[in-house]
Short mmCIF file of all heavy atoms in Angstrom, two decimals:
data_model
loop_
_atom_site.label_atom_id
_atom_site.label_comp_id
_atom_site.label_asym_id
_atom_site.label_seq_id
_atom_site.Cartn_x
_atom_site.Cartn_y
_atom_site.Cartn_z
N SER A 159 -6.69 -21.81 2.05
CA SER A 159 -6.42 -20.64 2.89
C SER A 159 -6.23 -20.98 4.36
O SER A 159 -6.00 -20.09 5.18
CB SER A 159 -7.56 -19.63 2.75
OG SER A 159 -8.79 -20.19 3.19
N THR A 160 -6.31 -22.26 4.72
CA THR A 160 -6.11 -22.65 6.12
C THR A 160 -4.65 -22.84 6.47
O THR A 160 -4.31 -23.01 7.64
CB THR A 160 -6.86 -23.96 6.43
OG1 THR A 160 -6.29 -25.03 5.66
CG2 THR A 160 -8.34 -23.84 6.11
N ARG A 161 -3.74 -22.84 5.47
CA ARG A 161 -2.33 -23.10 5.77
C ARG A 161 -1.44 -22.09 5.06
O ARG A 161 -1.84 -21.46 4.07
CB ARG A 161 -1.94 -24.51 5.32
CG ARG A 161 -2.03 -24.70 3.82
CD ARG A 161 -1.36 -25.98 3.35
NE ARG A 161 -1.25 -25.99 1.90
CZ ARG A 161 -0.28 -26.63 1.24
NH1 ARG A 161 0.64 -27.28 1.91
NH2 ARG A 161 -0.25 -26.61 -0.08
N TYR A 162 -0.23 -21.95 5.60
CA TYR A 162 0.76 -21.06 5.01
C TYR A 162 1.55 -21.81 3.94
O TYR A 162 1.79 -23.02 4.05
CB TYR A 162 1.73 -20.54 6.06
CG TYR A 162 1.12 -19.60 7.07
CD1 TYR A 162 0.87 -20.03 8.38
CD2 TYR A 162 0.80 -18.30 6.73
CE1 TYR A 162 0.31 -19.17 9.32
CE2 TYR A 162 0.24 -17.43 7.66
CZ TYR A 162 0.00 -17.88 8.95
OH TYR A 162 -0.55 -17.03 9.88
N VAL A 163 1.97 -21.07 2.92
CA VAL A 163 2.76 -21.65 1.85
C VAL A 163 3.91 -20.71 1.52
O VAL A 163 3.80 -19.49 1.69
CB VAL A 163 1.89 -21.90 0.59
CG1 VAL A 163 1.44 -20.59 -0.02
CG2 VAL A 163 2.63 -22.74 -0.45
N ALA A 164 5.03 -21.24 1.07
CA ALA A 164 6.15 -20.43 0.62
C ALA A 164 5.84 -19.83 -0.74
O ALA A 164 5.08 -20.40 -1.53
CB ALA A 164 7.42 -21.27 0.55
N ALA A 165 6.45 -18.68 -1.01
CA ALA A 165 6.24 -18.02 -2.30
C ALA A 165 7.52 -17.29 -2.70
O ALA A 165 8.25 -16.78 -1.85
CB ALA A 165 5.07 -17.04 -2.23
N ILE A 166 7.77 -17.26 -4.00
CA ILE A 166 8.84 -16.43 -4.54
C ILE A 166 8.25 -15.54 -5.62
O ILE A 166 7.35 -15.96 -6.36
CB ILE A 166 10.02 -17.26 -5.10
CG1 ILE A 166 9.55 -18.29 -6.13
CG2 ILE A 166 10.78 -17.93 -3.97
CD1 ILE A 166 10.71 -19.04 -6.82
N GLU A 167 8.74 -14.30 -5.68
CA GLU A 167 8.25 -13.34 -6.66
C GLU A 167 9.40 -12.52 -7.20
O GLU A 167 10.44 -12.35 -6.54
CB GLU A 167 7.20 -12.41 -6.04
CG GLU A 167 5.90 -13.10 -5.71
CD GLU A 167 4.81 -12.13 -5.29
OE1 GLU A 167 5.11 -10.93 -5.10
OE2 GLU A 167 3.65 -12.57 -5.14
N GLN A 168 9.21 -11.99 -8.41
CA GLN A 168 10.22 -11.15 -9.02
C GLN A 168 10.51 -9.93 -8.13
O GLN A 168 9.63 -9.42 -7.44
CB GLN A 168 9.75 -10.67 -10.39
CG GLN A 168 8.53 -9.74 -10.35
CD GLN A 168 7.99 -9.40 -11.72
OE1 GLN A 168 7.82 -10.27 -12.56
NE2 GLN A 168 7.69 -8.12 -11.94
N ALA A 169 11.74 -9.47 -8.15
CA ALA A 169 12.15 -8.30 -7.35
C ALA A 169 13.53 -7.89 -7.84
O ALA A 169 14.01 -8.37 -8.88
CB ALA A 169 12.15 -8.63 -5.86
N GLY A 170 14.16 -7.01 -7.08
CA GLY A 170 15.56 -6.69 -7.34
C GLY A 170 15.81 -5.58 -8.33
O GLY A 170 16.92 -5.46 -8.84
#
Side-chain angles (χ1 to χ4, degrees):
S159 62
T160 65
R161 65 167 190 150
Y162 292 106
V163 67
I166 55 174
E167 291 189 351
Q168 66 186 46

